[in-house]
Amino acid sequence: MTALLFIMLLVLFLINVPIAVALGLSAAVVFFVDGQVSLIVLMQRMFSSVASFPLLAIPFFILAGKLMENGGISRRLIHLANVMFGRINGGLAIVSIIACAFFAAISGSAAATTAAVGSLLIPAMVKKGYDKSFSTAVQAAGGTIGVMIPPSVPLVLYGVTAGVSISSLFIAGILPGLLVVGSLLILVYVISLIKGYGGGEAFSFKDFLKALYDAILAILMPVIILGGIYGGYFTPTEAAVVAVMYGLIVGVFVYKEIKIADLVEIFSSSVVISAVIMFIIGGASAFGYYLTRARIPRELTELMLGVTDNWIIALLIINALLLVVGVFLETSAAIIILTPILVPIVSALGIDLVHFGIIMIFNLAIGFITPPVGINLFVAANIAGTKFESLIKAIIPFIIVMILDIIIISFLPGISLFLVNLQK
């Protein structure tokens, strides 16, 4: 039955069946052939997998990102970053990474971060003389920060699936996220020096104060969201609702860049994105339900421990597996399917589940910039008006640097757990 499950899944992938349908359909067929579980029970499992209070954070964070993108918040943050860093060699590339970090602290989505920041900065970089492939690759790589720095939709999914505190995962993601931001800043600066990409306008303290004043409400948004979570004032789900209300008030009534008529498109597009994610969760849950009933996680745990009980070697193997899976499988589906399989293994090896959550999400985040499923590459290429294939060479240095970051994060758990332990 297990062989039939994976063969069906592979065939459905090859004929381009949507991933949520492929996962759910392959599980349904196997359960039907097996005959031990009613398909009604399977449907109930799929619905119960999305009927979760913590998962409510996902549509609200997506909506908050949309409001930020359309309400002038992202534009003001980008302008402030440009005033501060635009004069440096590779200034616009640096601004791009920093703007992605700001946007990530609100949206929790890689694709949304790429689209919101890239739509403004990719044309600006090209106009300034930056190579189009490099400009697009910078934005695609910067967009991955959207799921690394909290709040993060994939971290919410992992927390729900693994039964780990989402607040702890958010806290644990701060320092590793900043590590990735720092390494990407160094990379784009070095490449800009080599290729001779110049800076922008000279720094002016007067312009800085003006830009800071203009962006102060935008800066306060992540401070309120993350400060509220870490201060214990509200849960991550409640924080997502606060983010929506804040973005709505600022975008409609303060900045006045969102008209009432615009809200229809903003809300409808957020609903569509949220529905797709929930559909994937449901399909992946059905798939994972069979794997659990077939005792695949236990068998794999025994197999792994039979090969090695050294956590370093095991973690290297798991990292390699996650990188490969991230190349081919959508992130939400990968989390729902792999978490029940890998959690028993890492628990048996004594690896902290909060630390492992960061390792898992950061590995899968690289999948956003690797062909053939790298959604950030497609989004950035569409904005730049360039071919997807032209980005492959330009994105390689970013992938290498991020893999090195993951190795550091994996084997120095203190980077992830320092702030978590500090809060206890």
Side-chain angles (χ1 to χ4, degrees):
M1 288 296 104
T2 303
L4 175 62
L5 179 73
F6 283 99
I7 290 171
M8 274 209 63
L9 183 65
L10 180 60
V11 170
L12 291 171
F13 280 167
L14 290 175
I15 60 176
N16 291 323
V17 173
I19 187 167
V21 177
L23 289 165
L25 183 59
S26 57
V29 169
V30 169
F31 276 116
F32 178 76
V33 173
D34 187 48
Q36 295 186 18
V37 175
S38 167
L39 292 183
I40 295 176
V41 174
L42 188 63
M43 294 301 105
Q44 290 172 340
R45 293 282 303 194
M46 291 179 68
F47 276 100
S48 65
S49 69
V50 297
S52 165
F53 178 72
L55 286 181
L56 279 175
I58 293 176
F60 282 111
F61 276 129
I62 290 170
L63 178 55
K66 283 284 182 182
L67 291 169
M68 180 184 179
E69 180 182 349
N70 290 273
I73 294 176
S74 57
R75 179 171 55 79
R76 285 169 170 81
L77 290 174
I78 290 170
H79 177 62
L80 174 62
N82 190 39
V83 170
M84 293 173 65
F85 303 103
R87 70 191 189 282
I88 303 171
N89 283 98
L92 285 180
I94 291 171
V95 168
S96 177
I97 301 298
I98 293 173
C100 284
F102 270 113
F103 195 90
I106 299 171
S107 73
S109 166
T113 302
T114 303
V117 181
S119 59
L120 295 172
L121 279 175
I122 291 176
M125 289 176 70
V126 173
K127 185 178 179 181
K128 198 72 178 176
Y130 291 75
D131 178 77
K132 181 180 283 190
S133 294
F134 172 72
S135 304
T136 312
V138 168
Q139 192 50 66
T144 62
I145 301 169
V147 298
M148 295 178 179
I149 289 182
S152 161
V153 170
L155 279 177
V156 172
L157 279 178
Y158 172 82
V160 171
T161 309
V164 176
S165 165
I166 296 172
S167 296
S168 295
L169 287 168
F170 280 5
I171 295 171
I174 295 175
L175 294 183
L178 292 177
L179 172 66
V180 173
V181 171
S183 64
L184 291 179
L185 287 174
I186 293 170
L187 176 64
V188 298
Y189 178 72
V190 170
I191 293 176
S192 297
L193 279 179
I194 293 172
K195 296 197 172 184
Y197 298 138
E201 58 196 61
F203 179 79
S204 164
F205 190 69
K206 180 181 178 181
D207 290 341
F208 166 72
L209 290 179
K210 185 175 182 300
L212 180 63
Y213 175 78
D214 197 35
I216 191 67
L217 290 177
I219 295 171
L220 283 176
M221 191 173 184
V223 172
I224 291 171
I225 296 168
L226 299 179
I229 294 172
Y230 304 149
Y233 297 105
F234 36 70
T235 67
T237 303
E238 292 164 347
V241 178
V242 171
V244 169
M245 293 306 300
Y246 187 91
L248 195 61
I249 292 169
V250 171
V252 175
F253 299 107
V254 181
Y255 291 157
K256 298 180 180 179
E257 295 198 18
I258 297 178
K259 309 301 179 187
I260 299 299
D262 298 333
L263 292 176
V264 175
E265 194 281 328
I266 292 172
F267 278 92
S268 61
S269 61
S270 299
V271 167
V272 170
I273 296 170
S274 301
V276 170
I277 293 175
M278 293 301 177
F279 193 17
I280 290 173
I281 292 171
S285 176
F287 192 90
Y289 180 47
Y290 174 79
L291 295 179
T292 302
R293 280 184 59 86
R295 300 179 65 190
I296 301 299
R298 174 179 287 187
E299 291 179 8
L300 287 175
T301 301
E302 293 173 354
L303 177 63
M304 174 67 80
L305 295 178
V307 172
T308 178
D309 59 358
N310 186 308
W311 72 275
I312 295 177
I313 297 174
L315 207 48
L316 284 172
I317 295 171
I318 292 171
N319 272 316
L321 169 67
L322 290 171
L323 285 171
V324 172
V325 168
V327 171
F328 298 102
L329 195 59
E330 199 277 337
T331 303
S332 300
I335 293 168
I336 301 296
I337 293 171
L338 291 178
T339 300
I341 295 174
L342 295 177
V343 161
I345 296 174
V346 298
S347 295
L349 292 166
I351 298 170
D352 187 276
L353 292 185
V354 171
H355 177 218
F356 178 69
I358 303 302
I359 294 171
M360 186 176 199
I361 301 312
F362 278 49
N363 269 289
L364 294 176
I366 295 181
F368 285 106
I369 55 172
T370 51
V373 191
I375 185 65
N376 281 19
L377 291 178
F378 285 106
V379 172
N382 183 59
I383 293 171
T386 188
K387 292 183 178 180
F388 175 87
E389 296 81 5
S390 68
L391 302 180
I392 295 175
K393 182 179 178 181
I395 202 66
I396 289 175
F398 295 91
I399 294 174
I400 292 171
V401 165
M402 290 173 71
I403 290 174
L404 292 175
D405 287 334
I406 289 171
I407 292 172
I408 294 170
I409 292 165
S410 296
F411 299 108
L412 294 176
I415 297 175
S416 302
L417 300 177
F418 174 75
L419 293 179
V420 178
N421 295 331
L422 205 61
Q423 196 187 41
K424 292 179 180 178

